[in-house]
Amino acid sequence: MSRVALVTGGSRGIGEAISRALQAAGYSVAATYAGNDEKAAAFTAATGIKTYKWNVADYEASAAGIAQVEADLGPVEIVVANAGITRDAAFHKMTPDMWNDVVATNLTGVFNTVHPVWPGMRERGFGRVIVISSINGQKGQMGQVNYAATKAGDLGIVKSLAQEGARKGITANAICPGYIGTEMVRAIPEKVLNEVIIPQIPAGRLGEPEEIARCVTFLASDDSGFINGSTISANGAQFVV
Ligand code: CAA
């Protein structure tokens, strides 16, 4: 029977590409979304991948949603914590709500997504935790004190989980995408994107969601068991660590 993969924020953007790639690799995929019913329905119609609606910032909703996924498809053995939001503003204009929303989704949301599946992974002696962090968690970014803090925090989560899970056959790794051609990046003021950001990318272009999805299928594989606690940077050489 195929392994079950859960992808949060899995019906749009990078998450959609991840869901599709995991399905193509033979996994049984469940994709979550937070609000866009229309897009989720279109995604399911196009792919046959079932979607589930919950807010990753809400622990109880996450635990109940994951229980439903497991009742429908079987135990979650691959979890991709991908759901994330931006609330960009210069720090002097950043409100507490902008801080709290981003922390709740991008950082606490990872805890809420992984924590409910962790005991089952430990019991079964197998698990793959893949967290989608960001280049901006590695290097910082003007306008993103909130986002960069959460994405750096996600790296701390992964490095710690890797050490806790290794003896139980569980790996935890992060992917740090650079600027990928999704709605989130297209929301950056056009002049800033074209005149400031793209010229900073030695590859001379935005990344494609599929380029991140391929990193996920690689890490999800049964053969990737010794890769643990690592970070894959996929950013067109914009930031080299
Ligand atoms: N890098 C370098 N310079 C930047 C910049 C960036 N990312 N963003 C803005 N600037 C520069 C602008 O070019 C401008 O310079 P000049 O004064 O010389 O013209 C200056 O900063 C002020 O910019 P704004 O006029 O836009 O000022 P603002 O206060 O209205 O907004 C901002 C500031 C919030 C930083 C806004 O410019 C912005 O949103 N920038 C993009 C921030 C960003 O990179 N977000 C990433 C979103 S995608 C993502 O998060 C996915 C991921 O993981 C990579």
Side-chain angles (χ1 to χ4, degrees):
M1 223 174 76
S2 53
R3 295 195 186 279
V4 175
L6 172 68
V7 184
T8 64
S11 67
R12 294 198 296 153
I14 291 174
E16 174 175 1
I18 293 170
S19 297
R20 286 174 180 266
L22 287 170
Q23 182 190 46
Y27 296 93
S28 181
V29 180
T32 82
Y33 70 103
N36 193 332
D37 295 314
E38 206 179 315
K39 174 66 198 173
F43 167 79
T44 299
T47 62
I49 295 172
K50 201 160 181 232
T51 54
Y52 296 81
K53 185 177 185 177
W54 72 75
N55 180 357
V56 297
D58 179 336
Y59 186 85
E60 300 306 327
S62 298
I66 288 166
Q68 187 60 53
V69 169
E70 296 200 323
D72 293 348
L73 302 180
V76 172
E77 296 187 291
I78 291 99
V79 65
V80 186
N82 164 77
I85 59 170
T86 53
R87 297 284 183 270
D88 292 358
F91 188 55
H92 61 281
K93 296 182 195 162
M94 190 172 284
T95 64
D97 279 350
M98 294 168 97
W99 170 264
N100 288 327
D101 286 352
V102 170
V103 170
T105 300
N106 299 7
L107 187 63
T108 308
V110 175
F111 176 88
N112 294 345
T113 300
V114 180
H115 194 257
V117 300
W118 190 255
M121 288 180 171
R122 282 169 50 86
E123 274 162 32
R124 291 185 299 273
F126 179 88
R128 295 281 181 266
V129 175
I130 301 162
V131 178
I132 307 303
S133 175
S134 165
I135 184 176
N136 292 341
Q138 297 172 298
K139 72 170 186 57
Q141 172 57 49
M142 60 187 298
Q144 290 203 304
V145 165
N146 50 2
Y147 184 88
T150 62
K151 294 297 181 174
D154 289 340
L155 299 181
I157 292 176
V158 157
K159 289 173 186 176
S160 304
L161 284 179
Q163 293 175 48
E164 291 198 21
R167 285 216 238 163
K168 297 284 184 187
I170 308 171
T171 67
N173 292 287
I175 299 166
C176 286
Y179 284 75
I180 309 299
T182 60
E183 269 175 55
M184 183 185 273
V185 165
R186 305 268 176 213
I188 296 171
E190 207 180 329
K191 198 167 143 50
V192 172
L193 185 61
N194 291 329
E195 293 176 19
V196 181
I197 293 174
I198 293 178
Q200 291 170 3
I201 307 173
R205 65 171 176 89
L206 299 176
E208 300 291 338
E210 292 72 20
E211 293 178 300
I212 304 308
R214 283 195 284 276
C215 301
V216 172
T217 50
F218 170 68
L219 291 172
S221 159
D222 281 23
D223 295 333
S224 295
F226 205 58
I227 304 170
N228 204 356
S230 73
T231 300
I232 297 182
S233 299
N235 63 35
Q238 185 182 354
F239 185 69
V240 180
V241 271

